[in-house]
Structure formats: structure tokens, C-alpha cells
């Protein structure tokens, strides 16, 4: 997770306020990039999602049946931690299935703590990738994952779409499966990543799965802003969920109070609870 670049808001936003996604100062009108998919307040409760029967009715995604073991899976994380928040269960099941895994950090999440003396950008540039590696070790899959960093600017991925596409052309192989945040996930970097990856996948006839991350915050059960008819549910075992939640704890920069500014954690308790379920939901439309 990263702070939303204040340049994406209009001038009603105080640029000196820490506008992390959980505490964002959002104008009453729509956000210029994410529209009405704004992330503010506590969001939709964990119970509301758990009690929604629509989730129970979703088709199940079976990794062993759907993904051939030799196929490489490329998981795109706008910021180091999104791969665990969204795909901590899938990562474990891919490793069990024998799939080669490429983890691509689109940015290093250097802007998550404006004005912080503890977490200035240069520090975050080092520790956030380290936190990601620690999380993979908790999942027990660090030796099965190759990590590369694209080093695009945190909070401004939309402005670097051309460079993003150029880098993809040197990374992606003909039979790769691509996994990205939902192209309308509610965070500008998530949406930019999702749109670029989904477009590249369509151009090159590659399978693409879009994972819901921040959509769980701003959306409501049966929300028509999410194409539920293309949604599939990946069920996690209790053990896989336990490892995922332990892996989330590795991101101390995102889960603890910044004592230099007094700002609360970037990832609130509600956010962590909402993402720590016995399922992950992906959007998938077959191109074949």
C-alpha cells in the first residue's frame, strides 16, 4: 500500500496531510482518476462480506486444474505488500502446484509516509522490498519466487504507462499467466497497474486474473461496479490463511503507528481483517 499522491486530488486537499488510503481526505465530488471508488472511513465491514451469499455462489478457482505446472505466473504488485494482501493464498497454492512465480514490484512504495522522520522515501525504498521478502519467507516460498522491481514512481504510475509497457515487453513470455489488481480497485496505482496489465494481456492473448484488494473497502455486496459475473473464488485452507496473516505482519512500516508524525498505521485493523478471509476473489474472462 502507498500514499495517494496529492496531485491526483483537486486543491481542496491539504498537501501537508498524510493522505494514506485508509485516512484519505477525499473531496465530496468524484476523484479525478478513481471516480466514485473512493477509499475513506472504515469501509464495508468484514461481517457484511462474510454474510453475503453471493460470495458463496461464486465458481471456485482450482489452481491445480486451471494452471499447468510449467506455466510461469507473473504477479504484479503496485507496492510491496499488495502481493500478500491480494494473493497470499494464491502464492502458496502456486508454489504447491510447482508453477514458476515472478513477482513484479511496480513501485517500491516510497511515498507511503509523507513528512515522516522514521520512514522517509530513501528508507522505504530499502525496507519495503525487505518486508516483502520476509513475507515470502513466512509463506515458505521465497526460493520459488523471482522478484524484480520496475522502479516506477509511487503514486504516479498512471503518468508512466508508456515506460510500464516498454518494460513489460522485455519481461513477459508467450505462455505467462498475469495476475494484477482489479483495474477499478480504487487506488490510482492499482488501477493504472490493472489497466496496463489487462490491456497487455489482451494484446498478447495471455490469461489475466485481476484480484480485488481495495475494492473490499469501498464496494458493497452485489455492488454493480464490480463485474461479479466474471469473478471466481479461490478458497484457502486454515493453514494457508494463518500463513497469509502472519506474512501481512511482516510489513511493519504499514501496520504500525508512525511515532514521528503520530499518524496511525497505513493498514488499519479493519483493512487487515477484511483482507484476511478464507478466500480471495479474482476476475477472469477467457480470451481463448
Amino acid at each position: 500500500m502507498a500514499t495517494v499522491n496529492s496531485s491526483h486530488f483537486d486543491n481542496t486537499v491539504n498537501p501537508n496531510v498524510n493522505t494514506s488510503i485508509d485516512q484519505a481526505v477525499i473531496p465530496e465530488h468524484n476523484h479525478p482518476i478513481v471516480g466514485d471508488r473512493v477509499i475513506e472511513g472504515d469501509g464495508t465491514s468484514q461481517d457484511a462480506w462474510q454474510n453475503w451469499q453471493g460470495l458463496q455462489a461464486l465458481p471456485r478457482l482450482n489452481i491445480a486444474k486451471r494452471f499447468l505446472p510449467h506455466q510461469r505466473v507473473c504477479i504484479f504488485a503496485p507496492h510491496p505488500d499488495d502481493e500478500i494482501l491480494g494473493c497470499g493464498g494464491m502464492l502458496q497454492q502456486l508454489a504447491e502446484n510447482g508453477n514458476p512465480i515472478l513477482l513484479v514490484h511496480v513501485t517500491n512504495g516510497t511515498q507511503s509516509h509523507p513528512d515522516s522522520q522514521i520512514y522517509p522515501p530513501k528508507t522505504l525504498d530499502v525496507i519495503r522490498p525487505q518486508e516483502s521478502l520476509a513475507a515470502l519467507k513466512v509463506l515458505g516460498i521465497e526460493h520459488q519466487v523471482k522478484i524484480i522491481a520496475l522502479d516506477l514512481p509511487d503514486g504516479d504510475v498512471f503518468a508512466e504507462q508508456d515506460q510500464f509497457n516498454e518494460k513489460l515487453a522485455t519481461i513477459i513470455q508467450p505462455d505467462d499467466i498475469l495476475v494484477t489488481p482489479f483495474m477499478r480497485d480504487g487506488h490510482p496505482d492499482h488501477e493504472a497497474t490493472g489497466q496496463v496489465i489487462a490491456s497487455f494481456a489482451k494484446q498478447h492473448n495471455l490469461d489475466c486474473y485481476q484480484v480485488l484488494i481495495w475494492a473490499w473497502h469501498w464496494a458493497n455486496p452485489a455492488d454493480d461496479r464490480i463485474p461479479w459475473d466474471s469473478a471466481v473464488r479461490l478458497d484457502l485452507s486454515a493453514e494457508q490463511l494463518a500463513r497469509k496473516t502472519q506474512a501481512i505482519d511482516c510489513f511493519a512500516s504499514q501496520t504500525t503507528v508512525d511515532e514521528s508524525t503520530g499518524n496511525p498505521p497505513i493498514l488499519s485493523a479493519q483493512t487487515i481483517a477484511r483482507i484476511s478471509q478464507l478466500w480471495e476473489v479474482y476476475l477472469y474472462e477467457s480470451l481463448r
Side-chain angles (χ1 to χ4, degrees), residues 76 150 163-172 196-197 200:
F76 290 84
L150 299 188
Q163 184 182 0
F164 198 164
N165 273 298
E166 288 173 7
K167 293 191 175 191
L168 285 180
T170 68
I171 294 169
I172 303 304
V196 168
I197 299 304
F200 188 93

Side-chain angles (χ1 to χ4, degrees), residues 4 48 71 79 92 149 156 168 173 179 184 201 211 244 259:
V4 177
Q71 280 188 291
H79 320 99
Q92 295 176 71
D156 212 20
L168 285 180
Q173 300 171 1
V179 180
R184 292 187 289 277
V211 63
K244 176 176 177 175
E259 294 183 359

Side-chain angles (χ1 to χ4, degrees), residues 265-284:
I266 303 299
L267 296 174
S268 68
Q270 296 98 321
T271 297
I272 293 172
R274 194 165 37 235
I275 211 74
S276 302
Q277 305 293 332
L278 282 167
W279 34 260
E280 294 167 355
V281 173
Y282 297 83
L283 307 175
Y284 172 76

Side-chain angles (χ1 to χ4, degrees), residues 27-93:
E28 291 183 0
H29 51 75
N30 285 352
H31 183 283
I33 291 178
V34 302
D36 61 356
R37 300 178 298 281
V38 292
I39 302 166
E40 59 186 348
D42 289 338
T44 302
S45 72
Q46 176 187 7
D47 288 345
W49 288 114
Q50 287 181 332
N51 294 330
W52 181 42
Q53 291 303 307
L55 276 177
Q56 306 302 323
L58 291 179
R60 291 331 193 240
L61 173 60
N62 185 312
I63 295 293
K65 291 182 178 179
R66 189 68 187 86
F67 291 19
L68 297 174
H70 72 275
Q71 280 188 291
R72 188 175 72 160
V73 180
C74 303
I75 294 183
F76 290 84
H79 320 99
D81 75 356
D82 289 318
E83 70 276 14
I84 304 298
L85 298 176
C87 309
M90 175 181 274
L91 279 165
Q92 295 176 71
Q93 294 187 25

Side-chain angles (χ1 to χ4, degrees), residues 143-267:
H143 298 301
Q144 295 172 259
V145 180
K146 179 182 178 181
I147 305 174
I148 63 173
L150 299 188
D151 293 318
L152 297 183
D154 182 17
D156 212 20
V157 176
F158 260 108
E160 301 294 338
Q161 292 182 64
D162 289 344
Q163 184 182 0
F164 198 164
N165 273 298
E166 288 173 7
K167 293 191 175 191
L168 285 180
T170 68
I171 294 169
I172 303 304
Q173 300 171 1
D175 292 326
D176 284 346
I177 297 171
L178 310 185
V179 180
T180 179
F182 176 34
M183 68 169 64
R184 292 187 289 277
D185 202 44
H187 186 296
D189 284 348
H190 286 219
E191 299 205 359
T193 300
Q195 290 177 28
V196 168
I197 299 304
S199 176
F200 188 93
K202 187 173 183 179
Q203 269 188 317
H204 298 275
N205 198 34
L206 300 174
D207 283 342
C208 181
Y209 291 80
Q210 299 180 41
V211 63
L212 303 184
I213 302 177
W214 286 108
W216 299 116
H217 184 113
W218 56 259
N220 296 303
D223 199 308
D224 61 9
R225 291 171 291 180
I226 296 177
W228 298 107
D229 56 348
S230 64
V232 292
R233 168 174 162 157
L234 180 70
D235 288 332
L236 280 58
S237 69
E239 183 180 1
Q240 288 167 349
L241 177 58
R243 284 196 292 261
K244 176 176 177 175
T245 55
Q246 290 167 12
I248 292 173
D249 288 340
C250 292
F251 297 96
S253 69
Q254 309 300 297
T255 60
T256 57
V257 172
D258 183 348
E259 294 183 359
S260 71
T261 62
N263 287 325
I266 303 299
L267 296 174

